Amino acid sequence: METPSVIKQAVIAILATLAISTLLALYKKLTGNASNGEFIFTIIIYGLFCILPYKINSKSNAARYVYLVITIISLLSLFAIDSEKFKLEFIVSLALIPVEIFILYRLFQKEASHWFLSK
């Protein structure tokens, strides 16, 4: 069975959010707002997150639930960000909320659920 378009759209959106987040980490490093260790750790984490779109595209039902949990945790962490100190990070996080909602909507649509559950 071919990958449904809703899954393809979600995977592309996940990769786009990872690219934006990586560019933000690079910006923080170049402006001196992140240490070498923090930057490397962030890039490694984003590299590990790249496994999720691959697994989702490979029909892993567990991967979409892992993505859901990670998204919920990241949305809750918005309350912990000092919006004055990390203004750009806060703005980017707020701007990505509709994208995250779109991704979750696509991953849990009826068509996607049938695709994930069909083996």
Side-chain angles (χ1 to χ4, degrees):
M1 179 188 245
E2 188 177 322
T3 306
S5 63
V6 295
I7 300 299
K8 291 177 183 177
Q9 291 171 354
V11 167
I12 290 169
I14 292 169
L15 291 171
T17 60
L18 283 169
I20 291 167
S21 298
T22 303
L23 289 173
L24 179 62
L26 180 61
Y27 174 79
K28 284 175 57 178
K29 172 66 178 121
L30 293 175
T31 58
N33 293 330
S35 67
N36 285 338
E38 180 182 351
F39 176 70
I40 291 171
F41 177 77
T42 302
I43 296 302
I44 289 171
I45 294 297
Y46 291 154
L48 291 173
F49 283 165
C50 285
I51 295 170
L52 283 174
Y54 168 76
K55 294 299 285 181
I56 288 170
N57 207 36
S58 298
K59 219 173 187 179
S60 172
N61 194 36
R64 74 177 175 152
Y65 284 102
V66 168
Y67 187 79
L68 172 67
V69 170
I70 290 171
T71 301
I72 291 170
I73 291 170
S74 68
L75 291 175
L76 291 175
S77 72
L78 276 176
F79 297 113
I81 293 178
D82 181 1
S83 60
E84 292 301 316
K85 186 176 179 186
F86 301 105
K87 191 171 264 182
L88 182 61
E89 189 173 276
F90 185 72
I91 291 169
V92 169
S93 296
L94 285 179
L96 288 178
I97 289 175
V99 178
E100 297 293 347
I101 292 170
F102 170 80
I103 292 167
L104 292 176
Y105 174 72
R106 288 301 201 194
L107 288 178
F108 288 92
Q109 276 185 305
K110 194 174 199 174
E111 180 183 358
S113 294
H114 287 300
W115 182 75
F116 278 110
L117 298 176
S118 68
K119 295 283 179 172

